Amino acid sequence: MDLEAYTAVNRGDWERLQTLSRTRRLSAAEIDELTELYGVASTHLSVIQAQDPHGPQARGLSLIVAGARQRLSSTPGDFTRAFTDFVIYRLPYAFYTIRWLTLVLGALFCAVATAYGAWVYQHPEVANALMSEQQQEIYVEHEFVGYYSENPAASFAGQVWTNNAWIAAQEVAFGITGFFVPVVLYLNAANVGVAGGIMARHGEIDTFFNYILPHGYMELTAIFIAGAAGLYIFWSWVAPGRHTRLFSLARAGRMLITVAIGLVVVLFVSGLVEGFVTPAEIPDVLRHGIGLLVLAAYWCYTWILGARAARMNLDADVGQYDGGTVELTA
């Protein structure tokens, strides 16, 4: 069966079902129509899943059918259905889709940073080539810690949030090139490793970890997520599978813009931690505990809700109205 042709023939019924599902007030005739179209679309979904259970047609229609089922079995709430779909289904599924690549990038980042740190620590001439002994002492004793407290906490948190969100957006946007993400992550890992190596040479490795990790747990993870999203877009046109390169690229791009939107919130939280928790005069255990709690909250959100969306065969792509239709040509 040609699934794209099957989709083109039945798309009208699916779009009508989606429209009725999102309409706040329905007449008696519209409720009857919604019920009938729900049964029709469920049959169509069974046919599509028998052919390609994990394809974009099955996932898109699954979300429409799920929305109709929710409308038929519950009372509409005050929040828009689109917002609920985004928070409960689309965003966690998008994070879940790139979870393994996120972890791989994180492991590679830590390996590069550790290698640079060990290199600087074991070879004093390397550190001396980067800055003089006097500059190193100023950096270790004043600049490293002072960076987190020299500005008001709220202003500093906003500055960090803006800067990191910009880096993450660039990774997602320019990830299609295939080389931008590795270069950015490599340079950042090298900088972190060099800073750690210099701090270690002066006996301040504890200070280094106590100030960089509380916010870094989530902040660095967010950078890895953005890098994974960018590389996912790159791979979508390198290996498009059963679809054309343009269709695969467009779908991956739409889906992973969801990641960029979600990272704005994630980086806002990590910015608050860096602005208010990292420089705070509190026990180191509490400082690390808050950072780890934020990180654990992200992974629980991703793994629990994302896995549930995957089991429901849902999708992270935008709706048909926002994503546009594909016209079949011979």
Side-chain angles (χ1 to χ4, degrees):
M1 176 188 295
D2 188 336
L3 291 183
E4 293 188 0
Y6 189 78
T7 300
V9 170
N10 297 290
R11 180 179 287 117
D13 289 340
W14 303 346
E15 291 179 345
R16 177 58 178 167
L17 176 62
Q18 188 174 43
T19 299
L20 292 172
S21 300
R22 294 177 174 178
T23 302
R24 295 193 62 180
R25 294 186 178 182
L26 297 174
S27 64
E30 289 174 331
I31 294 175
D32 291 340
E33 184 182 5
L34 174 63
T35 304
E36 180 181 356
L37 288 176
Y38 171 72
V40 172
S42 298
T43 302
H44 294 165
L45 179 59
S46 299
V47 174
I48 293 175
Q49 288 180 329
Q51 298 292 322
D52 186 12
H54 302 293
Q57 292 89 354
R59 290 172 176 168
L61 184 55
S62 293
L63 195 60
I64 295 175
V65 171
R69 181 170 59 249
Q70 183 179 2
R71 181 62 192 273
L72 289 170
S73 61
S74 63
T75 302
D78 295 332
F79 295 102
T80 63
R81 204 167 297 274
F83 179 79
T84 302
D85 288 344
F86 179 83
V87 174
I88 303 299
Y89 298 113
R90 298 186 190 277
L91 181 58
Y93 182 81
F95 285 150
Y96 186 78
T97 300
I98 57 175
R99 64 195 185 284
W100 294 119
L101 185 53
T102 299
L103 293 174
V104 169
L105 291 180
L108 293 174
F109 183 96
C110 292
V112 172
T114 301
Y116 267 91
W119 182 42
V120 172
Y121 176 73
Q122 295 173 2
H123 298 84
E125 66 275 10
V126 176
N128 294 333
L130 296 172
M131 60 180 71
S132 66
E133 283 288 350
Q134 183 180 4
Q135 290 175 325
Q136 291 179 47
E137 291 178 3
I138 295 175
Y139 176 77
V140 171
E141 297 176 4
H142 303 286
E143 292 182 354
F144 181 80
V145 175
Y147 168 76
Y148 297 98
S149 57
E150 61 183 0
N151 294 311
S155 175
F156 180 63
Q159 178 183 352
V160 169
W161 177 36
T162 303
N163 180 67
N164 290 332
W166 174 240
I167 294 175
Q170 286 180 307
E171 286 190 283
V172 175
F174 298 120
I176 190 174
T177 62
F179 66 84
F180 184 84
V181 170
V183 169
V184 169
L185 291 180
Y186 178 82
L187 293 177
N188 279 274
N191 289 333
V192 171
V194 168
I198 293 175
M199 294 291 289
R201 287 193 67 245
H202 291 79
E204 294 291 344
I205 191 63
D206 291 343
T207 302
F208 173 77
F209 285 123
N210 287 334
Y211 275 83
I212 201 170
L213 284 182
H215 64 274
Y217 292 125
M218 190 66 255
E219 182 179 278
L220 291 175
T221 300
I223 300 302
F224 305 151
I225 295 167
L231 292 179
Y232 188 92
I233 295 175
F234 166 72
W235 193 248
S236 69
W237 68 266
V238 173
R242 300 174 60 184
H243 303 287
T244 64
R245 295 185 191 279
L246 183 60
F247 177 86
S248 179
L249 178 62
R251 180 176 174 273
R254 292 194 306 267
M255 184 180 75
L256 292 171
I257 284 299
T258 300
V259 173
I261 296 173
L263 285 179
V264 172
V265 179
V266 172
L267 288 169
F268 175 72
V269 175
S270 68
L272 292 178
V273 175
E274 186 169 0
F276 291 93
V277 177
T278 298
E281 296 294 334
I282 58 177
D284 294 334
V285 173
L286 180 58
R287 188 183 288 116
H288 285 276
I290 294 174
L292 288 171
L293 182 63
V294 172
L295 180 63
Y298 164 78
W299 281 113
C300 287
Y301 174 77
T302 296
W303 226 277
I304 295 174
L305 296 185
R308 185 181 70 171
R311 288 194 299 269
M312 294 173 65
N313 204 29
L314 301 182
D315 201 352
D317 196 1
V318 299
Q320 189 70 49
Y321 175 82
D322 298 310
T325 59
V326 178
E327 182 179 355
L328 295 178
T329 55

